[in-house]
Amino acid sequence: MCPSDEGQSSINLSDPFARMIRRTFLGARRALSPRGLRFVSGGEIIEDVSERAARPHLTEQASLYVHWPYCLRRCSYCNFNKYIPREDNQHVMAACLQREAETLLQLSQVSRITSVFFGGGTPSLARPSTIGAILETISRRVTLSDKAEVTLEVNPTPAGMSKMEDYCRAGVNRFSIGVQSLQDDDLKILGRDHSSHQALQTIEEAQRLCPGRVSVDVMFGRPRQSAETWEKELSELLRVCDDHVSLYQLTLERGTQLFKLVQQGEATVPADDVMAKMYRRARRTLHQSGFLQYEVSNFARNNAVSHHNTSYWKGTQYIGVGPGAHGRFVPLGAGAVAREARTQTLEPDMWMREVRQRGHGTRRRVQLGRLELLEEVLVMGMRMTEGVNHEHWELFSPQLGLHEVFGTSTEVQELLQSGLLILDDRGLRCSWDGLALLDSLLPALLVELEAQILSRPHRDHGADGQTQKTSNPR
């Protein structure tokens, strides 16, 4: 789920950190000096750094993401971690998702889950009883309030729509609908298996079941699309949608069918300047319809923000369950003091085998040092219109404030004077124009953050005074 130089986004929130960070963070990191890596047994890579958790109370709660990896077919633009099932093994997948959720919750020892997001893949292929069983497993281990946001991505087909009421009975209270387009010809080009009429029907049913808690995903930059046709289509969608809209820029990914078509000259996508115009017009159109932009790609009215996705951008803990899922949490059960980045095994059959053998399918663990943690807090926080406020930054960096890190940088000062960045008593954030240029601003901020952190020796110790490191997956 990441902005280009003009701020458009191609991220997929169903794989939250990986999609958000892929371009926004890793692209910006090319400007930074490489850091040493070391191999540990099992062929894993782990950064040779250590860091204490940022304030104990941040480890008491987390959000939880569940990845359903299966789809009926692959869309022409998609390179996400999804698979066409060879057989009906839904009961095995359901049992493994429950077991891994229980294992990772026990390892994290969080006491409360603040939100749950079922993404994919196509999680609306899962039986409602599977969704209910996973939520019940979570509730047995930790507190999951009846008011906690529980989101499920829905493919707007008749099959997906027919199960929505049962999903609500199972515990879902928010739907994210992958409309992508209201143009049937474009839906065919994208390889989608729904029509615009079915999408509108699904939106209507979702609003009936969860009024004010329905998000619509729509994609721009599609083949043959112009800024004018895009603006007209978005206006049409806003007449029928609920209170949340997520914009995604179509990004050509190597290995996809659409990428090959464009490479062969059989399809064309809008030029970069047209993409930029589309994004600007979308922001204006949404604003005129009462939607407030609260993140690069996300707009809400009536305060209908996605609490789950906001938790990513605010740097809180999250637990990733399922093939290829990502997580960020402190494994307190093992006596560690550092937040870890954890990635689960990608391929479903291999992941299920590992879960049955040892309770989880964690393939890679990276312990986040002080710099790595602050980089993530900065990159994710700057995606929001509110940016990173001083109190939030202090939770992760009590000794080094935002003014100390960025206030003396010549390059950052130029960005402040140009009006693209704002650093004041509230914190650090992008201006309206700056948010559309986020990718071009981040390298300067990350370079300055690295320079300030590395210039100030810092040692972190666990409760026993000894530096903690991780090794193999547990």
Side-chain angles (χ1 to χ4, degrees):
M1 210 208 132
C2 297
S4 72
D5 286 345
E6 289 296 336
Q8 307 95 346
S9 176
S10 62
I11 57 176
N12 182 324
L13 289 171
S14 68
D15 193 357
F17 187 83
R19 303 300 174 190
M20 291 183 204
I21 213 93
R22 182 175 57 184
R23 287 186 178 83
T24 311
F25 184 57
L26 296 181
R29 280 285 297 274
R30 295 191 188 104
L32 305 180
S33 59
R35 291 193 258 304
L37 300 175
R38 64 181 177 88
F39 285 90
V40 296
S41 59
E44 295 178 12
I45 299 175
I46 185 166
E47 295 201 30
D48 192 13
V49 294
S50 65
E51 170 66 14
R52 60 168 172 75
R55 294 291 185 260
H57 71 271
L58 291 178
T59 66
E60 296 171 358
Q61 63 185 37
S63 57
L64 192 144
Y65 167 76
V66 181
H67 187 73
W68 184 265
Y70 298 127
C71 285
L72 292 179
R73 63 179 179 178
R74 182 174 288 275
C75 298
S76 66
Y77 59 90
C78 178
N79 73 339
F80 300 159
N81 185 42
K82 56 174 62 175
Y83 301 83
I84 312 301
R86 295 186 297 272
E87 57 184 352
D88 184 6
N89 63 350
Q90 184 161 161
H91 64 291
V92 180
M93 173 60 65
C96 288
L97 288 171
Q98 292 174 73
R99 186 175 180 192
E100 182 169 73
E102 189 166 22
T103 299
L104 295 183
L105 285 169
Q106 183 177 7
L107 177 60
S108 71
Q109 288 194 2
V110 299
S111 59
R112 185 165 72 99
I113 290 297
T114 57
S115 63
V116 181
F117 193 106
F118 291 91
T122 308
S124 55
L125 292 176
R127 300 185 183 99
S129 59
T130 295
I131 301 301
I134 294 171
L135 293 174
E136 185 178 346
T137 296
I138 297 169
S139 297
R140 283 200 308 266
R141 173 61 59 179
V142 297
T143 298
L144 179 64
S145 168
D146 292 339
K147 297 180 180 179
E149 182 184 86
V150 180
T151 305
L152 184 130
E153 288 185 332
V154 176
N155 199 27
T157 61
M161 185 175 68
S162 68
K163 293 186 285 187
M164 290 172 69
E165 191 163 355
D166 289 332
Y167 287 133
C168 289
R169 293 194 185 102
V172 172
N173 55 30
R174 187 177 185 273
F175 290 109
S176 178
I177 303 174
V179 173
Q180 311 309 351
S181 172
L182 291 180
Q183 305 299 316
D184 286 337
D185 288 344
D186 286 2
L187 290 171
K188 292 178 182 177
I189 293 174
L190 296 174
R192 302 293 291 176
D193 55 358
H194 69 273
S195 68
S196 58
H197 179 67
Q198 290 168 345
L200 295 174
Q201 285 182 314
T202 305
I203 292 173
E204 183 179 359
E205 175 68 359
Q207 287 179 300
R208 182 183 73 82
L209 295 169
C210 300
R213 287 193 161 199
V214 179
S215 180
V216 171
D217 294 354
V218 61
M219 181 180 292
F220 67 94
R222 308 189 302 263
R224 303 192 307 270
Q225 191 180 34
S226 68
E228 289 71 28
T229 59
W230 160 240
E231 188 172 17
K232 181 179 178 181
E233 180 181 1
L234 182 58
S235 296
E236 179 183 351
L237 180 65
L238 294 181
R239 286 195 291 268
V240 297
C241 75
D242 202 57
D243 290 336
H244 193 281
V245 174
S246 296
L247 298 180
Y248 298 104
Q249 178 192 316
L250 174 63
T251 300
L252 297 175
E253 302 287 357
R254 290 186 178 277
T256 64
Q257 181 183 353
L258 188 57
F259 180 88
K260 294 176 183 177
L261 290 175
V262 172
Q263 288 290 301
Q264 294 168 359
E266 298 179 31
T268 58
V269 294
D272 289 344
D273 60 333
V274 178
M275 294 277 201
K277 183 185 294 185
M278 288 180 175
Y279 182 69
R280 290 194 299 268
R281 289 195 177 186
R283 296 174 84 192
R284 182 185 63 193
T285 300
L286 283 157
H287 182 72
Q288 291 172 346
S289 297
F291 285 83
L292 298 179
Q293 184 173 19
Y294 69 99
E295 191 266 348
V296 168
S297 304
N298 288 273
F299 302 76
R301 61 188 175 192
N302 300 323
N303 200 32
V305 302
S306 168
H307 297 294
H308 182 86
N309 291 326
T310 299
S311 70
Y312 300 136
W313 302 318
K314 291 193 173 182
T316 60
Q317 290 194 130
Y318 59 95
I319 298 169
V321 173
H326 288 240
R328 295 288 190 280
F329 64 88
V330 178
L332 294 176
V337 295
R339 182 179 293 197
E340 288 183 353
R342 300 174 76 99
T343 305
Q344 309 309 98
T345 292
L346 287 171
E347 201 278 323
D349 290 342
M350 179 66 71
W351 173 83
M352 286 188 285
R353 188 178 309 123
E354 293 174 359
V355 172
R356 288 194 293 262
Q357 290 174 350
R358 53 189 171 95
H360 67 87
T362 300
R363 175 58 60 92
R364 183 171 182 261
R365 294 165 53 217
V366 177
Q367 192 177 73
L368 299 177
R370 183 186 185 208
L371 176 57
E372 286 72 28
L373 181 59
L374 291 179
E375 284 176 336
E376 291 190 0
V377 171
L378 177 68
V379 168
M380 303 304 279
M382 292 300 291
R383 292 184 62 89
M384 298 184 295
T385 53
E386 69 178 52
V388 182
N389 65 47
H390 294 293
E391 293 76 17
H392 179 67
W393 182 262
E394 187 179 357
L395 291 174
F396 299 91
S397 180
Q399 286 86 27
L400 194 60
L402 289 171
H403 282 294
E404 294 174 277
V405 176
F406 303 109
T408 60
S409 165
T410 301
E411 190 169 357
V412 174
Q413 283 298 321
E414 291 176 356
L415 295 174
L416 293 170
Q417 292 170 7
S418 69
L420 297 176
L421 285 180
I422 301 170
L423 177 59
D424 57 17
D425 292 342
R426 287 169 52 190
L428 178 67
R429 61 192 181 279
C430 292
S431 65
W432 173 264
D433 291 331
L435 195 64
L437 299 168
L438 178 62
D439 265 9
S440 63
L441 306 182
L442 280 174
L445 296 175
L446 288 169
V447 166
E448 190 60 30
L449 175 63
E450 181 180 45
Q452 290 292 334
I453 294 297
L454 297 184
S455 68
R456 300 167 187 252
H458 185 91
R459 293 188 64 192
D460 291 301
H461 302 282
D464 59 356
Q466 300 298 315
T467 301
Q468 304 288 322
K469 285 186 175 68
T470 58
S471 53
N472 298 317
R474 289 182 293 273

